[in-house]
Amino acid sequence: MTDLRTILLVEDDQRDVELTLKALKASKLSNPVAVVNDGVEALEYLQYEGKYKQRKKEFPSVVLLDIKMPRMDGLELLRIINNDKILSTLPVVMLTSSREDPGLKECYALGANAYVVKPIDYKEFIDSVTALGIFWALINESSPELKT
Amino acid sequence: MLKPTYAELEDQIAEYKKNIENLLAIAATETEAKQDRADELVIADKAKQNRADELVIADKAKQNRADELVIADKAKQDRADELVFADKAKQNRANELVIADKEKQNRADELVTFQSERQERESYLISAEAEMKVRKEKVEGLNVELAREIVKRNGELIAANKELEAFCYSVSHDLRAPLRHISGFANLLVNEFSNSIPEDGQHYLENIETSTSQMGQLIDDLLKFSRTSRYEMQVGDVDMNNCLVEVLEPLKQEYKDRDIHWSSVELPHVNGDSHLLKLVWTNLLENAIKYTQKQQKARIQIGFQDKEAEYIFYVKDNGVGFDMKYAHKLFGVFQRMHSDKEFEGTGVGLANVRQIIEKHGGRIWADAKPDKGATFYFTFLKPENKYD
């Protein structure tokens, strides 16, 4: 097995972070998970800036992106990623609380690869996260530009 | 006696001669006068003759005149007779005039009354007209106000709709998040500490999970309901048969282990939004399936009635039915006829169906009896009667 690449979780709600991490753990995926709390921090992570200057040069296998966040929300971050030559090839899965998000259509227009509404039932949530994790972190082959 | 001498005789002869000559002259003169006289007589005769002739003519004229006079007399008589008649007629006329006078008087009285009435009426009309003018101005004023109000309300409506959308997003997002957390942590508690939680505690945790998922369902259904109200319809010709088949086939598959006898007829076309119409059939058929689950042999019948201006579609089942005294609650949001324990549901489905039918300008109602099944009816205007 090749080295397990990081899953980047962009989520501001700490309880959601905790539950998502638990769900990823329950899915038996052993990929490392990096957690950032909003779009600004996510950009710093992806561009090796701020406190992520020293981190290992590696793109995440997938970005799990919440929409409603302080400072820079998911849509804005998505727009920036989409406009970046390399980052635009990064798989991004929108993870949101609601089907009523006004940005569903916009997310796809901005290059999101998937849109997942977090189920209320935790067992269903674990199933969703497992399916996502397995597909994007294990099955899916990333763009060669991201493998540098 | 002395004897005349010659001279004397001659004188006498000369005298005689002279006398004769005189006499001759006189005779000649007399002849002449006589001739003149004769001439005059001839002339006079002629004149006399003329006069006689004239007299004859005059006599004739006289006769004519006499005749005329006779005629005139007759005419006079006739005229006199006529005058008598005329007098009589005059009398009659006079009598009539008396009557007419009386009538005239009456008429005059009436006219006076009429005129005063007219006066009254006119003054009433004038005041009515004045009032009408005032009212018209008021109406015009109101119209302007109304137009302004409509524009204002329209703006408010758009704002309210936007607000509603934001509210729905907020409800959807912000209410669901803590629910997910409750469900998640309760689940983790059960998974990770099941050994150290007593049986009662585990039961409570199960209740927490059931309630959170139920509330999740309520929020989702409520959002579905609000989505329908905000949904912009795409109205077109819809073949109800296609609509029904698309809904019915998956349901038949899903419930193939149930003994359900389906019956339906050829349905007409309507003007509507096919997406929403499918939701209507789905909801009504799922209800029929749900409420016949206790029947050994469920029977679900789909049909329609052809009325003058509309079609009445119906879904009839032989399920548990309900008491019609609660029928008014049937189509309200979160209103239920049965407990959640008996039949699952949030009570939004029929409210949603009602909303869709009303959006299409139709009506919906139900007829049922406890344990004797229920029939749900909804109307659709025939396509030719649709005015949009």
Side-chain angles (χ1 to χ4, degrees):
Chain A
M1 208 180 210
T2 53
D3 56 331
L4 293 169
R5 286 165 54 208
T6 308
I7 293 170
L8 178 64
L9 176 62
V10 190
E11 170 69 71
D12 64 312
D13 189 314
Q14 289 316 302
R15 278 157 298 188
D16 266 317
V17 170
E18 198 176 337
L19 288 172
T20 309
L21 290 177
K22 284 275 180 190
L24 283 169
K25 201 173 170 191
S27 73
K28 307 272 196 296
L29 275 174
S30 30
N31 299 56
V33 182
V35 180
V36 292
N37 295 127
D38 59 35
V40 175
E41 208 186 332
L43 264 188
E44 284 176 356
Y45 180 89
L46 293 171
Q47 294 171 337
Y48 310 101
E49 283 169 2
K51 60 178 173 179
Y52 301 104
K53 249 182 189 155
Q54 306 304 319
R55 82 167 178 94
K56 189 182 155 200
K57 299 279 176 198
E58 175 218 56
F59 285 108
S61 57
V62 62
V63 180
L64 302 180
L65 181 58
D66 187 23
I67 292 182
K68 209 177 162 194
M69 288 181 298
R71 294 206 289 176
M72 184 193 287
D73 66 17
L75 284 177
E76 215 181 324
L77 176 64
L78 196 60
R79 195 171 290 117
I80 293 170
I81 289 176
N82 198 38
N83 285 332
D84 184 284
K85 199 183 162 225
I86 295 172
L87 292 181
S88 62
T89 60
L90 203 59
V92 178
V93 174
M94 308 308 291
L95 257 193
T96 172
S97 265
S98 159
R99 264 179 213 93
E100 294 292 312
D101 269 328
L104 175 55
K105 227 167 129 184
E106 212 182 338
C107 285
Y108 281 114
L110 290 174
N113 300 78
Y115 188 102
V116 176
V117 179
K118 291 179 246 184
I120 284 175
D121 186 277
Y122 188 63
K123 287 176 204 122
E124 286 176 35
F125 180 63
I126 293 175
D127 292 344
S128 300
V129 170
T130 304
L132 279 176
I134 289 173
F135 181 79
W136 290 107
L138 294 180
I139 299 173
N140 184 51
E141 194 68 39
S142 307
S143 155
E145 283 166 303
L146 298 172
K147 285 178 178 166
T148 51
Chain B
M1 216 255 334
L2 293 160
K3 228 183 171 194
T5 67
Y6 180 66
E8 275 176 357
L9 272 169
E10 275 200 351
D11 283 339
Q12 263 183 350
I13 292 167
E15 204 170 313
Y16 278 138
K17 228 180 172 178
K18 213 180 177 181
N19 277 346
I20 287 166
E21 274 173 5
N22 279 344
L23 277 171
L24 277 172
I26 289 164
T29 311
E30 268 179 8
T31 307
E32 216 170 89
K34 236 177 197 166
Q35 190 60 41
D36 285 349
R37 182 79 190 133
D39 288 350
E40 274 172 11
L41 278 174
V42 169
I43 292 164
D45 257 6
K46 247 181 194 165
K48 226 176 192 169
Q49 190 58 41
N50 287 348
R51 182 80 191 134
D53 289 351
E54 278 173 17
L55 278 176
V56 169
I57 291 164
D59 259 5
K60 248 185 194 161
K62 224 177 192 168
Q63 189 59 41
N64 288 346
R65 181 78 193 133
D67 291 351
E68 278 174 18
L69 278 176
V70 169
I71 293 165
D73 259 6
K74 245 188 193 155
K76 220 174 186 174
Q77 188 58 41
D78 289 349
R79 183 77 193 132
D81 292 350
E82 276 174 13
L83 278 176
V84 170
F85 273 117
D87 259 6
K88 258 188 190 152
K90 222 173 185 175
Q91 189 59 39
N92 290 342
R93 184 77 194 131
N95 293 338
E96 280 173 17
L97 276 177
V98 169
I99 295 168
D101 258 5
K102 256 188 193 154
E103 271 176 16
K104 214 172 177 179
Q105 189 58 40
N106 290 342
R107 187 84 191 123
D109 292 350
E110 276 173 14
L111 262 177
V112 169
T113 319
F114 176 74
Q115 257 165 359
S116 73
E117 266 175 25
R118 195 168 153 182
Q119 190 69 35
E120 244 172 63
R121 188 96 189 115
E122 264 170 15
S123 63
Y124 174 75
L125 265 176
I126 288 167
S127 67
E129 252 171 50
E131 192 169 346
M132 209 166 147
K133 205 178 157 195
V134 171
R135 289 205 182 169
K136 207 176 158 192
E137 276 165 9
K138 213 172 169 185
V139 165
E140 275 164 8
L142 281 175
N143 272 347
V144 170
E145 213 173 281
L146 196 68
R148 234 179 260 144
E149 186 70 8
I150 286 172
V151 171
K152 189 178 149 221
R153 288 275 169 97
N154 228 2
E156 281 173 2
L157 201 66
I158 289 167
N161 236 356
K162 275 211 176 119
E163 215 169 273
L164 186 68
E165 230 159 272
F167 172 74
C168 287
Y169 168 64
S170 195
V171 164
S172 180
H173 188 278
D174 297 352
L175 289 187
R176 278 171 61 99
L179 267 183
R180 272 191 297 103
H181 301 157
I182 294 169
S183 166
F185 288 111
N187 201 277
L188 287 175
L189 204 55
V190 173
N191 287 349
E192 294 179 17
F193 302 98
S194 61
N195 294 336
S196 45
I197 300 172
E199 213 172 295
D200 280 358
Q202 292 201 17
H203 171 66
Y204 300 154
L205 284 168
E206 274 166 28
N207 281 351
I208 290 173
E209 273 195 68
T210 313
S211 294
T212 48
S213 72
Q214 196 181 344
M215 186 157 172
Q217 193 60 52
L218 282 174
I219 292 171
D220 283 351
D221 284 352
L222 192 61
L223 286 171
K224 233 184 260 171
F225 184 72
S226 94
R227 236 196 320 262
T228 307
S229 74
R230 284 177 288 134
Y231 177 81
E232 275 181 37
M233 294 207 294
Q234 311 281 319
V235 177
D237 176 65
V238 178
D239 182 350
M240 279 295 213
N241 298 295
N242 293 344
C243 213
L244 183 65
V245 166
E246 278 177 46
V247 168
L248 193 53
E249 289 313 310
L251 283 175
K252 279 183 180 170
Q253 272 299 312
E254 194 178 341
Y255 294 96
K256 60 184 173 201
D257 44 355
R258 286 254 325 260
D259 188 4
I260 301 174
H261 177 262
W262 295 92
S263 75
S264 61
V265 295
E266 180 82 10
L267 299 175
H269 285 230
V270 296
N271 258 330
D273 181 298
S274 61
H275 168 70
L276 291 183
L277 283 177
K278 273 182 224 161
L279 278 182
V280 168
W281 286 115
T282 306
N283 241 297
L284 294 180
L285 296 178
E286 277 180 344
N287 272 359
I289 292 168
K290 192 197 310 186
Y291 294 110
T292 51
Q293 64 186 249
K294 289 177 182 166
Q295 303 298 320
Q296 286 263 309
K297 194 167 181 67
R299 244 189 289 277
I300 300 171
Q301 192 186 332
I302 298 143
F304 80 103
Q305 293 163 14
D306 192 343
K307 297 286 176 186
E308 203 173 308
E310 61 186 14
Y311 296 117
I312 303 177
F313 296 93
Y314 62 86
V315 176
K316 187 181 173 133
D317 67 53
N318 64 337
V320 289
F322 56 85
D323 192 334
M324 280 299 282
K325 77 176 166 192
Y326 304 116
H328 61 283
K329 286 183 154 190
L330 209 53
F331 300 100
V333 183
F334 292 151
Q335 296 287 352
R336 301 218 54 208
M337 291 287 174
H338 306 275
S339 73
D340 196 43
K341 205 168 146 192
E342 238 186 323
F343 295 99
E344 281 184 352
T346 54
V348 173
L350 282 178
N352 219 12
V353 170
R354 188 205 66 203
Q355 192 175 217
I356 293 170
I357 297 300
E358 285 176 356
K359 260 181 121 128
H360 283 89
R363 292 162 288 130
I364 183 163
W365 69 97
D367 190 19
K369 262 186 192 160
D371 298 319
K372 297 271 188 229
T375 309
F376 284 85
Y377 301 92
F378 63 92
T379 65
F380 253 85
L381 275 180
K382 288 185 177 177
E384 61 269 29
N385 292 318
K386 205 87 181 174
Y387 296 115
D388 54 3

